[in-house]
Short mmCIF file of all heavy atoms in Angstrom, two decimals:
data_model
loop_
_atom_site.label_atom_id
_atom_site.label_comp_id
_atom_site.label_asym_id
_atom_site.label_seq_id
_atom_site.Cartn_x
_atom_site.Cartn_y
_atom_site.Cartn_z
N LEU A 784 -24.92 -17.22 21.61
CA LEU A 784 -26.34 -17.35 21.95
C LEU A 784 -27.15 -16.47 21.02
O LEU A 784 -26.98 -15.28 21.03
CB LEU A 784 -26.61 -17.01 23.38
CG LEU A 784 -28.05 -17.01 23.89
CD1 LEU A 784 -28.64 -18.40 23.81
CD2 LEU A 784 -28.17 -16.49 25.27
N GLU A 785 -27.96 -17.12 20.20
CA GLU A 785 -28.79 -16.30 19.18
C GLU A 785 -30.23 -16.33 19.58
O GLU A 785 -30.80 -17.41 19.77
CB GLU A 785 -28.59 -16.98 17.79
CG GLU A 785 -29.44 -16.38 16.75
CD GLU A 785 -29.74 -17.30 15.55
OE1 GLU A 785 -29.78 -18.53 15.75
OE2 GLU A 785 -29.97 -16.80 14.45
N PHE A 786 -30.87 -15.17 19.63
CA PHE A 786 -32.28 -15.11 19.81
C PHE A 786 -32.97 -15.16 18.42
O PHE A 786 -32.53 -14.61 17.43
CB PHE A 786 -32.72 -13.72 20.43
CG PHE A 786 -32.13 -13.44 21.80
CD1 PHE A 786 -32.20 -12.15 22.30
CD2 PHE A 786 -31.56 -14.41 22.53
CE1 PHE A 786 -31.67 -11.88 23.59
CE2 PHE A 786 -31.00 -14.12 23.79
CZ PHE A 786 -31.09 -12.85 24.28
N HIS A 787 -34.08 -15.91 18.35
CA HIS A 787 -34.87 -15.98 17.13
C HIS A 787 -36.34 -16.12 17.41
O HIS A 787 -37.08 -16.65 16.57
CB HIS A 787 -34.34 -17.09 16.23
CG HIS A 787 -34.12 -18.40 16.90
ND1 HIS A 787 -35.07 -19.17 17.39
CD2 HIS A 787 -32.98 -19.09 17.09
CE1 HIS A 787 -34.59 -20.30 17.87
NE2 HIS A 787 -33.28 -20.25 17.75
N SER A 788 -36.82 -15.57 18.54
CA SER A 788 -38.28 -15.47 18.71
C SER A 788 -38.87 -14.32 17.90
O SER A 788 -38.11 -13.60 17.31
CB SER A 788 -38.53 -15.26 20.24
OG SER A 788 -38.02 -13.90 20.50
N PRO A 789 -40.16 -14.23 17.77
CA PRO A 789 -40.74 -13.09 17.05
C PRO A 789 -40.28 -11.82 17.61
O PRO A 789 -40.37 -11.53 18.86
CB PRO A 789 -42.29 -13.25 17.27
CG PRO A 789 -42.45 -14.76 17.44
CD PRO A 789 -41.18 -15.18 18.21
N ASN A 790 -39.65 -11.00 16.74
CA ASN A 790 -39.08 -9.67 17.15
C ASN A 790 -37.93 -9.79 18.20
O ASN A 790 -37.52 -8.87 18.82
CB ASN A 790 -40.13 -8.67 17.71
CG ASN A 790 -41.11 -8.21 16.69
OD1 ASN A 790 -40.74 -7.97 15.55
ND2 ASN A 790 -42.36 -8.23 17.00
N ASN A 791 -37.52 -11.08 18.32
CA ASN A 791 -36.49 -11.40 19.34
C ASN A 791 -36.91 -10.92 20.74
O ASN A 791 -36.06 -10.56 21.53
CB ASN A 791 -35.08 -10.75 18.96
CG ASN A 791 -34.53 -11.50 17.76
OD1 ASN A 791 -34.89 -12.57 17.44
ND2 ASN A 791 -33.64 -10.82 17.09
N ALA A 792 -38.18 -10.92 21.04
CA ALA A 792 -38.70 -10.54 22.33
C ALA A 792 -38.36 -11.61 23.33
O ALA A 792 -38.42 -12.87 23.09
CB ALA A 792 -40.19 -10.30 22.30
N ILE A 793 -38.04 -11.26 24.60
CA ILE A 793 -37.58 -12.19 25.58
C ILE A 793 -38.76 -12.78 26.28
O ILE A 793 -39.59 -12.08 26.87
CB ILE A 793 -36.69 -11.53 26.59
CG1 ILE A 793 -35.38 -10.94 25.89
CG2 ILE A 793 -36.26 -12.44 27.72
CD1 ILE A 793 -34.57 -10.08 26.77
N GLY A 794 -38.93 -14.12 26.23
CA GLY A 794 -39.84 -14.90 26.90
C GLY A 794 -39.22 -16.01 27.72
O GLY A 794 -37.96 -16.12 27.76
N ALA A 795 -40.04 -16.96 28.18
CA ALA A 795 -39.49 -18.03 28.99
C ALA A 795 -38.58 -18.88 28.22
O ALA A 795 -37.58 -19.40 28.73
CB ALA A 795 -40.69 -18.89 29.49
N ASP A 796 -38.79 -19.05 26.88
CA ASP A 796 -37.89 -19.90 26.04
C ASP A 796 -36.52 -19.33 25.95
O ASP A 796 -35.52 -20.08 26.14
CB ASP A 796 -38.46 -20.08 24.68
CG ASP A 796 -39.00 -18.84 24.01
OD1 ASP A 796 -38.78 -17.75 24.60
OD2 ASP A 796 -39.54 -18.93 22.87
N ILE A 797 -36.39 -18.06 25.80
CA ILE A 797 -35.06 -17.39 25.71
C ILE A 797 -34.34 -17.48 27.11
O ILE A 797 -33.14 -17.78 27.18
CB ILE A 797 -35.16 -15.94 25.19
CG1 ILE A 797 -35.43 -15.94 23.71
CG2 ILE A 797 -33.92 -15.13 25.53
CD1 ILE A 797 -35.56 -14.57 23.09
N LEU A 798 -35.09 -17.19 28.18
CA LEU A 798 -34.47 -17.24 29.49
C LEU A 798 -34.04 -18.70 29.79
O LEU A 798 -32.90 -18.84 30.35
CB LEU A 798 -35.47 -16.75 30.53
CG LEU A 798 -35.88 -15.29 30.49
CD1 LEU A 798 -36.99 -14.97 31.51
CD2 LEU A 798 -34.66 -14.38 30.67
N THR A 799 -34.77 -19.64 29.44
CA THR A 799 -34.37 -21.05 29.61
C THR A 799 -33.06 -21.33 28.83
O THR A 799 -32.15 -21.94 29.34
CB THR A 799 -35.49 -22.01 29.18
OG1 THR A 799 -36.61 -21.80 29.94
CG2 THR A 799 -35.01 -23.48 29.27
N MET A 800 -33.04 -20.83 27.63
CA MET A 800 -31.80 -21.11 26.81
C MET A 800 -30.61 -20.35 27.31
O MET A 800 -29.46 -20.91 27.15
CB MET A 800 -32.08 -20.69 25.32
CG MET A 800 -30.98 -21.11 24.40
SD MET A 800 -30.42 -22.87 24.47
CE MET A 800 -31.95 -23.74 24.04
N ILE A 801 -30.77 -19.20 27.93
CA ILE A 801 -29.65 -18.45 28.50
C ILE A 801 -29.09 -19.35 29.64
O ILE A 801 -27.87 -19.51 29.75
CB ILE A 801 -30.09 -17.13 29.02
CG1 ILE A 801 -30.44 -16.19 27.82
CG2 ILE A 801 -28.91 -16.45 29.81
CD1 ILE A 801 -30.98 -14.81 28.30
N GLU A 802 -29.92 -19.86 30.52
CA GLU A 802 -29.46 -20.72 31.64
C GLU A 802 -28.80 -21.94 31.13
O GLU A 802 -27.70 -22.36 31.62
CB GLU A 802 -30.66 -21.08 32.52
CG GLU A 802 -31.22 -19.94 33.33
CD GLU A 802 -30.35 -19.48 34.54
OE1 GLU A 802 -29.18 -19.98 34.67
OE2 GLU A 802 -30.85 -18.69 35.39
N GLN A 803 -29.33 -22.58 30.12
CA GLN A 803 -28.78 -23.78 29.56
C GLN A 803 -27.39 -23.48 28.87
O GLN A 803 -26.49 -24.27 28.96
CB GLN A 803 -29.73 -24.44 28.53
CG GLN A 803 -30.96 -25.04 29.24
CD GLN A 803 -31.87 -25.70 28.20
OE1 GLN A 803 -31.57 -25.76 27.01
NE2 GLN A 803 -32.97 -26.26 28.70
#
Side-chain angles (χ1 to χ4, degrees):
L784 176 64
E785 176 204 28
F786 299 167
H787 46 66
S788 65
N790 293 319
N791 291 339
I793 298 169
D796 46 7
I797 285 180
L798 294 174
T799 298
M800 186 52 61
I801 293 174
E802 290 283 12
Q803 291 181 0

